[in-house]
Amino acid sequence: MSDTSPSSTAAAPPPQDAAPTAPNLSQQQLVELKQQIQLLAKNYGFADMGVVNPQLEGAGARLQSWLDKGYHAAMAYMAEHGTKRYRAEELVPGTVRAICLNMHYLDPEITTKSCLEDDQQAYVARYALGRDYHKLVRKRLAQLAKAIEGLIGPYGFRVFVDSAPVMEKPMAQQAGLGWQGKNTLLINRKTGSWFVLGEIFINLPLPTDEPYDKDHCSRCTACMDVCPTNAFPEPYVLDANKCIAYLTIEHKGAIPIEIRPLMGNRIFGCDDCQLACPWNRYPQATVENDFKPRHNLDQASLIELFNWTAEEFDQRTQGSPIRRSGYEGWLRNIAVALGNGNPTAAAKAALTSRLDYASEMVQEHVQWALQQLQLRAELSIPLEPLPLLDIEARKLKHLR
């Protein structure tokens, strides 16, 4: 009888999901491989690349302090996964390096400041105007990872795009891609912050890059000063409870009444802290057509978008990050924006048409918006000025 017990001298087959063993490469081969990967990354549309040993104990301690203060709002998932968030080897066993990359998304043809100034126009965060970056960047990362496999044979890897417990900004800073600014975003001195990040965890000991240890924010507080809701309790710390981006995208309930008048016409996300940043005066434009606006979203009126049916919302947000807010969240956000505008007959009619919408949350926001318009009409209350426009005009001349 043959011996099939675990103590058999025959090797047991590896689990199906076990990562391939890393090829045995010399230090010189690893240096040359990294150079080849950098060229490949450019070919796949990535602007910058860095390699890091992904151990982020300091960032983990800062995360815990942020969680302890409740700044994560209702994002309970931020408190999950424990040390896996900053110890990559625990998240993906065998990981010894992370390749960090960025891709620029700003279309140079779109307007920003003039859109925010027009109370009848909808403002959508510029990263969300086109295709969902998660889909685009994940596909490119997978292609890059496979191209590396074509160079060296099978190895262990896993790609991430803001979709797992990965502390991507501290990791990218350790990989030399920039520094985390006072608005908590990663900023590159040459190209600004209009980019998204992605990572490839690998079991190859590639040479690492020097961390970006300089902080070029210095005494500047422009991003904090222009935040409509004062969502930065201190430099380098964001309170999601007050953040328009969180409230219009992740938050599923009612928007706090005290926040609503401060939202202006921002219906999905907010870019004010980036628009005010002096390092974004000469941003690098995207080369990706997928980031160009869809369905005229960069020029659409609030009423036009408020009139979308649920079916139209599903159809027009297919492959778009906007779908994350859900249709009810979409209507909630636009109702607030209409309530922050001038009391036109068209705005009142659009809001009134939604008074009997099935969602009590939407109904409540519509009622609030109608009350705001009525008060503004009766008392001739002017619109709230943009904090962004308090910045000296010469510092905003790059904005359209």
Side-chain angles (χ1 to χ4, degrees):
M1 181 181 293
S2 63
D3 185 358
T4 58
S5 69
S7 59
S8 171
T9 55
Q16 284 188 331
D17 59 350
T21 302
N24 187 18
L25 302 177
S26 69
Q27 191 61 37
Q28 182 59 35
Q29 287 175 315
L30 289 168
V31 169
E32 293 173 356
L33 175 61
K34 180 181 175 182
Q35 293 171 344
Q36 291 175 296
I37 295 172
Q38 289 171 325
L39 292 175
L40 287 170
K42 294 287 185 184
N43 292 337
Y44 284 110
F46 295 104
D48 292 299
M49 175 190 130
V51 178
V52 63
N53 179 359
Q55 299 298 317
L56 304 167
E57 299 293 329
R62 292 190 294 274
L63 170 65
Q64 190 58 54
S65 174
W66 184 75
L67 292 169
D68 291 343
K69 294 173 182 175
Y71 289 156
H72 58 309
M75 294 182 287
Y77 59 84
M78 292 297 297
E80 298 173 353
H81 305 291
T83 56
K84 287 183 179 181
R85 285 192 176 274
Y86 52 90
R87 295 175 185 167
E89 205 280 336
E90 294 182 11
L91 180 64
V92 182
T95 297
V96 296
R97 296 288 187 269
I99 302 173
C100 299
L101 305 111
N102 69 15
M103 183 180 288
H104 295 275
Y105 63 80
L106 188 65
D107 183 341
E109 300 302 317
I110 62 173
T111 59
T112 50
K113 183 169 72 74
S114 59
C115 179
L116 286 167
E117 291 176 303
D118 185 348
D119 66 287
Q120 301 303 305
Q121 190 175 339
Y123 189 91
V124 174
R126 274 30 202 158
Y127 84 87
L129 291 172
R131 187 185 181 202
D132 189 343
Y133 74 88
H134 298 86
K135 299 177 182 296
L136 172 62
V137 178
R138 185 181 295 112
K139 179 180 178 181
R140 297 289 179 82
L141 288 173
Q143 290 173 332
L144 174 57
K146 284 295 185 181
I148 297 171
E149 195 170 59
L151 296 173
I152 61 172
Y155 71 104
F157 70 86
R158 184 173 169 186
V159 303
F160 297 96
V161 189
D162 192 27
S163 57
V166 174
M167 301 188 72
E168 60 179 13
K169 288 181 285 188
M171 191 176 296
Q173 180 168 354
Q174 288 298 306
L177 299 190
W179 78 98
Q180 273 192 267
K182 292 178 181 178
N183 60 4
T184 75
L185 297 175
L186 196 76
I187 305 172
N188 184 286
R189 192 175 184 182
K190 295 180 180 179
T191 61
S193 63
W194 299 96
F195 55 76
V196 292
L197 297 168
E199 301 80 36
I200 308 177
F201 283 17
I202 59 175
N203 63 354
L204 297 166
L206 291 177
T208 59
D209 290 280
E210 290 296 318
Y212 200 100
D213 291 331
K214 294 181 180 179
D215 184 344
H216 298 290
C217 291
S218 188
R219 295 189 298 273
C220 178
T221 58
C223 59
M224 302 174 66
D225 297 338
V226 304
C227 179
T229 59
N230 293 314
F232 299 104
E234 59 183 288
Y236 313 101
V237 178
L238 173 68
D239 182 357
N241 297 283
K242 296 181 178 180
C243 178
I244 292 174
Y246 163 75
L247 291 168
T248 56
I249 301 173
E250 299 291 330
H251 184 60
K252 302 306 177 186
I255 293 174
I257 290 178
E258 66 274 15
I259 296 288
R260 297 178 195 180
L262 308 175
M263 290 171 53
N265 62 347
R266 303 166 188 82
I267 65 167
F268 189 93
C270 179
D271 290 323
D272 287 33
C273 63
Q274 293 199 87
L275 293 170
C277 179
W279 294 107
N280 277 328
R281 290 178 191 170
Y282 307 101
Q284 183 168 324
T286 185
V287 296
E288 300 293 337
N289 287 329
D290 276 346
F291 287 130
K292 291 187 179 297
R294 295 180 171 185
H295 304 296
N296 199 38
L297 279 173
D298 60 322
Q299 300 291 331
S301 72
L302 291 167
I303 292 175
E304 174 189 348
L305 300 181
F306 197 58
N307 287 334
W308 280 5
T309 63
E311 292 73 21
E312 288 172 323
F313 176 84
D314 285 342
Q315 177 188 3
R316 295 173 184 175
T317 61
Q318 185 174 4
S320 162
I322 291 175
R323 182 168 286 192
R324 188 166 180 83
S325 71
Y327 185 56
E328 289 186 9
W330 180 250
L331 294 179
R332 173 200 64 189
N333 298 343
I334 301 176
V336 170
L338 286 168
N340 288 332
N342 282 302
T344 66
K348 292 177 183 177
L351 287 164
T352 301
S353 72
R354 296 289 190 181
L355 275 172
D356 59 352
Y357 187 74
S359 164
E360 291 184 3
M361 180 184 71
V362 172
Q363 288 181 22
E364 188 274 322
H365 285 74
V366 167
Q367 291 166 357
W368 175 88
L370 286 168
Q371 291 169 359
Q372 293 296 108
L373 294 184
Q374 182 177 351
L375 283 172
R376 189 166 292 117
E378 292 176 353
L379 303 177
S380 300
I381 301 174
L383 299 181
E384 289 287 332
L386 285 173
L388 181 67
L389 300 184
D390 288 338
I391 297 178
E392 296 176 49
R394 65 181 178 84
K395 295 181 179 180
L396 296 178
K397 64 182 180 180
H398 61 291
L399 300 179
R400 297 167 50 212

